[in-house]
Amino acid sequence: MDRIAVRRDLHKIPEIGFKEFKTQSYLLQFIQNLPQDRLEVKTWKTGILVKVKGQNPTKTIGYRTDIDGLPIVEETGYTFQSDHEGYMHACGHDFHMTIALSLLEYYSTHEVKDHLLFIFQPAEEGPGGALPMLDSEEFISWKPDQMVALHIAPEYPVGTIATKPGLLFANTSELFIDLKGKGGHAAYPHHTRDMVVAASHLVTQFQSIVARNIDPLDSAVVTVGKIEGGTKQNIIAEKARVEGTIRSLSAESMTLVKQRIEAIVKGIEASFECSASIDYGSNYFQVNNDTALVGEFMEQADKLSDVSVIECREAMTGEDFGYFLKEIPGFMFWLGVNSDSGLHSSSLMPDEAAMETAFQVMTDYFNRIAN
Ligand SMILES: [Zn+2]
Ligand SMILES: [Zn+2]
């Protein structure tokens, strides 16, 4: 296949979580044009599962790609820039899909002993497709025994892959808090319940969570990125909304941070005589690499002549692949694509040559462990 052409086709049609209709039909069309003798295909919502039947299977090895784009206005200047105004494949999921298709094409004509399961998962960026997919009948009936996935990494050169045993991505959660008090005239504060003051106290009190509740040898982040409240300079605000994100290196710390947030919000309700609601939005479970599986992978990949393997540090970013690894042993790795602009940037320009590196690394891996 012409990987670059496929990647550019996909780059033009970014769609957000569970709306990947054109993407799904493009992928299905590609899959239907492959030799079908060993393939079995199922769809799940806007996702797809493709099983490549092994010759004499003792296990199933899963390979997952995400398929969604982001609501970002593209500024790459590419000739193949997004046709969907306001949307962009700014997280490399166009790369991930193309790599998955090239592997699928290869294994549709190259026999291996075990089953391979190619998983095209929607809604990685939100609201999160991994968790509902794991619970679906379509997935459960083909549940793999181990799983692998990759993500492009702008900061590494082409030919480099990076990963580590154990924790690779953090636990993450969105945070939305709505406060409702009583508005009124700025000169009559005693008749009101001011939600601008309440929100200010709330944000200030959050600062004690990481400083005073989290084990200093663990790590967590509570960031409020947006406060909205009030209507005019001389009117006391009836409502305020606080929006943020929580990150933690351990699942236990995530639970603890949320308990503290809930306690602080209760205190704000009492002290400012208001009502509050908390919504955690999208939550992602940590990506925890299986030590033995990733160790073997790193050692073998490093032997390939055009590939160098780096042991990296964990990142405070989230990935919903973590939900798969919570139930199924496996690992994830970074694929160097050498772009000055990072993930979720409007000018992310990953080097297409990296797709060949991924193909080499993954065929080497599957040929070894599925035989
Ligand atoms: Zn992303
Ligand atoms: Zn991504």
Side-chain angles (χ1 to χ4, degrees):
M1 74 185 258
D2 182 349
R3 264 182 230 133
I4 290 174
V6 169
R7 182 261 163 162
R8 293 180 179 189
D9 285 347
L10 289 165
H11 188 80
K12 285 185 192 169
I13 54 165
E15 297 164 298
I16 54 166
F18 293 126
K19 300 221 157 57
E20 304 95 334
F21 304 112
K22 282 192 209 168
T23 306
Q24 186 188 39
S25 67
Y26 183 94
L27 295 169
L28 281 173
Q29 179 129 38
F30 183 96
I31 294 162
Q32 278 151 12
N33 286 332
L34 297 174
Q36 296 293 301
D37 3 333
R38 282 204 305 282
L39 302 189
E40 271 183 71
V41 183
K42 282 183 199 171
T43 58
W44 172 79
K45 295 185 190 267
T46 44
I48 307 167
L49 298 162
V50 187
K51 186 172 181 173
V52 184
K53 282 175 277 182
Q55 273 173 303
N56 184 19
T58 52
K59 61 179 182 298
T60 301
I61 300 157
Y63 181 85
R64 173 273 210 171
T65 172
D66 34 21
I67 68 170
D68 54 328
L70 285 158
I72 289 178
V73 179
E74 181 162 353
E75 290 176 317
T76 57
Y78 280 149
T79 51
F80 54 91
Q81 192 154 309
S82 169
D83 282 341
H84 294 175
E85 219 187 307
Y87 297 93
M88 177 184 172
H89 269 299
C91 201
H93 301 184
D94 50 345
F95 267 55
H96 304 170
M97 286 186 274
T98 307
I99 293 162
L101 290 177
S102 71
L103 292 169
L104 187 51
E105 180 193 56
Y106 178 84
Y107 287 106
S108 68
T109 55
H110 290 76
E111 291 200 338
V112 284
K113 185 172 118 336
D114 289 318
H115 293 315
L116 299 178
L117 181 65
F118 288 87
I119 298 156
F120 297 85
Q121 180 218 302
E124 192 282 325
E125 301 287 357
L131 200 52
M133 189 181 233
L134 264 161
D135 286 337
S136 72
E137 217 173 277
E138 290 84 351
F139 183 83
I140 291 169
S141 59
W142 282 352
K143 192 171 174 178
D145 300 287
Q146 61 186 76
M147 281 190 72
V148 55
L150 62 79
H151 203 291
I152 66 158
E155 65 272 36
Y156 294 116
V158 173
T160 304
I161 60 171
T163 185
K164 69 183 279 290
L167 188 77
L168 186 66
F169 288 82
N171 297 273
T172 71
S173 174
E174 295 177 334
L175 176 64
F176 304 98
I177 300 170
D178 284 297
L179 298 169
K180 190 169 184 301
K182 188 164 177 265
H185 196 291
Y188 300 91
H190 53 300
H191 293 149
T192 69
R193 309 276 178 259
D194 186 346
M195 290 306 100
V196 162
V197 178
S200 307
H201 278 261
L202 185 66
V203 175
T204 306
Q205 289 185 30
F206 282 169
Q207 307 313 308
S208 72
I209 299 174
V210 173
R212 300 291 90 169
N213 300 125
I214 297 296
D215 181 340
L217 298 181
D218 197 348
S219 275
V221 176
V222 179
T223 291
V224 171
K226 187 177 172 187
I227 303 182
E228 227 175 52
T231 48
K232 198 170 182 292
Q233 129 281 350
N234 63 354
I235 300 173
I236 286 173
E238 182 199 348
K239 290 177 188 168
R241 181 172 166 88
V242 170
E243 301 187 2
T245 180
I246 314 165
R247 313 271 156 133
S248 76
L249 288 188
S250 72
E252 295 73 32
S253 287
M254 177 57 73
T255 308
L256 177 63
V257 169
K258 287 185 174 176
Q259 283 168 352
R260 292 303 305 145
I261 285 174
E262 286 153 28
I264 289 169
V265 167
K266 271 212 175 73
I268 292 289
E269 282 183 304
S271 51
F272 293 89
E273 298 178 282
C274 61
S275 62
S277 66
I278 304 175
D279 173 6
Y280 291 118
S282 294
N283 284 253
Y284 289 163
F285 192 76
Q286 64 197 23
V287 172
N288 201 26
N289 285 339
D290 182 276
T291 305
L293 292 175
V294 78
E296 191 268 358
F297 169 76
M298 290 171 78
E299 197 184 313
Q300 297 296 325
D302 209 29
K303 290 181 184 163
L304 297 171
S305 54
D306 299 331
V307 179
S308 66
V309 178
I310 293 175
E311 182 162 342
C312 60
R313 293 191 62 191
E314 58 271 41
M316 273 292 184
T317 46
E319 232 303 337
D320 76 350
F321 186 60
Y323 288 113
F324 288 108
L325 293 190
K326 196 178 176 188
E327 285 193 27
I328 300 162
F331 61 90
M332 186 163 200
F333 65 92
W334 292 109
L335 173 73
V337 293
N338 189 37
S339 164
D340 289 338
S341 304
L343 300 174
H344 294 202
S345 155
S346 58
S347 48
L348 174 78
M349 297 171 86
D351 187 335
E352 289 167 331
M355 293 190 288
E356 174 60 25
T357 308
F359 180 79
Q360 278 179 28
V361 167
M362 287 317 303
T363 48
D364 176 69
Y365 184 68
F366 287 140
N367 290 344
R368 195 170 62 250
I369 63 155
N371 273 316

